[in-house]
Amino acid sequence: MTYTYHNPTVIEFGQNKIESITNYIPKDSKVLFVYGGGSIKKNSVYEQVVKALNEHTFLEFSGVEPNPTVETMNKAVKLVKEEKIDFVLAVGGGSVIDGCKYLVAASLYDGDAWDFLDGSAEPKEALPLGAILTLPATGSESNSGTVVSRKETNEKRFFFSPFIFPKFAVLDPSVMSSLDDRQLANGLVDAFVHTCEQYITCPNESLLHDGYSETILKGLVSLAKDWDKRDTYNWQENLMLLANQALNGFIGSGVAQDWATHMIGHELTAFYGLDHGRSLAVVQPQLLRVMFEDKKEKLLQMGQNVFNINDAQETIIKIEELYHCLGVSTNLSDYEIDDKVVSNVTSALEKHGMTAIGENQNITLDKVKEILNLTIK
């Protein structure tokens, strides 16, 4: 095993940590404070941020949607350039943070920043970014990746860059008290699948990486079993920490990674607006069944070490049951889709050059069709 791991994001974890942002944003910076639909005005987060920024010059940009679009974020890019913004502060969940990662790179780029998402260009620089997390799920607050959509063409794409790591991330579990069940369930599913994408692949010799992944998975299983305690601080604290560790880059360092569930799920979201977490819950179990021969050793290991069973096939059933106990369906027919879903998704994957995905690059478009057909029960 060989790898290089670097994570420059400072984590401020715990209650009353929002005030700590003043330690990381220079006083002479002109700040753009970015958020989503305004829920932060209902849980005191907005007030805390404004108070923390009282010695800074700052502007606000709101309206970042779930699955942020370049159409929305390009309005923020225009504002950044016109107002000569020095620092961007993202306050929200993964969507707001991802949108701001695009924003900080696009603001210092002369061309159309969709170039970063279609792979025709890479960021060479970015404005500094800070994050205050309000919805744990994606781990975006301390990694170098972003996922952004283009509404006009029903595309959802991603890019990575070391320049878009947040300088700091505030993780205060007390701000989660205003989240609804759908948001909490989606966050737990997202963190669970993130971990699986880096774990249910090929057998490896790293006791640390497998053990760390299994600890995260067992923690998330425990939270699912304690779903009735989801309004307690301890439950919320654990989800926030587990979701962060699921995708901060470490457990995937030096080991095989899959991400096919995400690639297929992204297309479902792009075409049908399906919640990201729910798209993953639909795709993953059937992908595991179709690719069972590739994954049976790790599924058996997961069964033994996470679910305390000794059956690889049963492990897939246990994963489905976990999603169901959160109220998350694994049946695509339970959502608003049309009869073109298989052709839409496979055509988009083909357009994006994703005709051989997964850890072994052997999930072909035919396999994707098989997976999707199994999701429509």
Side-chain angles (χ1 to χ4, degrees), residues 60-335:
E60 296 180 26
F61 182 90
S62 63
V64 180
E65 60 270 81
N67 303 303
T69 65
V70 292
E71 287 88 348
T72 295
M73 298 316 303
N74 282 340
K75 295 175 185 176
V77 171
K78 185 173 183 289
L79 181 62
V80 166
K81 291 181 176 180
E82 288 176 349
E83 296 292 337
K84 296 181 171 55
I85 296 294
D86 301 307
F87 199 105
V88 173
L89 178 64
V91 183
S95 291
V96 172
I97 298 169
D98 275 10
C100 286
K101 287 177 169 181
Y102 169 87
L103 170 62
V104 294
S107 295
L108 299 182
Y109 184 63
D110 290 333
D112 179 355
W114 186 257
D115 292 347
F116 303 146
L117 292 141
D118 70 14
S120 59
E122 295 182 2
K124 302 298 182 187
E125 57 183 338
L127 290 173
L129 170 66
I132 298 175
L133 182 68
T134 60
L135 170 57
T138 68
S140 189
E141 67 276 5
S142 63
N143 66 39
S144 63
T146 181
V147 181
V148 183
S149 299
R150 184 161 64 180
K151 193 173 182 181
E152 180 186 3
T153 55
N154 290 325
E155 291 182 89
K156 185 173 181 178
R157 307 296 301 277
F158 61 91
F159 72 89
F160 295 89
S161 170
F163 297 109
I164 62 173
F165 267 110
K167 303 299 181 187
F168 66 85
V170 174
L171 280 67
D172 179 350
S174 67
V175 308
M176 294 170 59
S177 59
S178 63
L179 298 177
D180 61 32
D181 285 355
R182 188 182 186 99
Q183 291 170 310
L184 290 173
N186 285 347
L188 198 158
V189 171
D190 201 8
F192 192 87
V193 179
H194 283 162
T195 310
C196 290
E197 297 273 36
Q198 302 163 89
Y199 172 78
I200 310 177
T201 55
C202 312
N204 68 72
E205 301 301 322
S206 175
L207 298 176
L208 176 61
H209 286 73
D210 272 3
Y212 199 172
S213 293
E214 289 162 2
T215 295
I216 296 169
L217 292 169
K218 285 188 287 187
L220 293 167
V221 169
S222 177
L223 293 183
K225 289 179 179 176
D226 289 339
W227 183 241
D228 60 336
K229 298 178 182 177
R230 60 193 178 278
D231 61 345
T232 65
Y233 181 83
N234 179 258
W235 193 99
Q236 294 165 359
E237 181 180 57
N238 275 293
L239 179 59
M240 187 166 267
L241 183 55
L242 288 163
N244 174 265
Q245 294 296 295
L247 199 58
N248 71 353
F250 179 71
I251 62 171
S253 299
V255 302
Q257 299 185 36
D258 185 345
W259 299 106
T261 294
H262 273 72
M263 298 306 98
I264 300 168
H266 284 173
E267 304 301 352
L268 288 172
T269 298
F271 277 101
Y272 302 103
L274 187 58
D275 299 10
H276 175 60
R278 286 164 197 260
S279 77
L280 302 178
V282 163
V283 173
Q284 187 204 28
Q286 305 308 342
L287 183 146
L288 295 175
R289 290 188 172 100
V290 171
M291 304 307 297
F292 183 75
E293 287 303 313
D294 286 4
K295 296 178 175 292
K296 61 185 179 182
E297 290 181 71
K298 290 305 286 281
L299 282 168
L300 179 60
Q301 180 181 331
M302 181 179 181
Q304 293 168 335
N305 297 339
V306 176
F307 293 112
N308 197 30
I309 58 175
N310 198 34
D311 187 315
Q313 291 280 8
E314 183 70 16
T315 299
I316 302 173
I317 296 172
K318 288 292 185 183
I319 291 171
E320 285 183 309
E321 289 175 350
L322 182 144
Y323 301 153
H324 295 162
C325 82
L326 301 173
V328 177
S329 173
T330 54
N331 186 346
L332 193 54
S333 298
D334 288 337
Y335 301 103

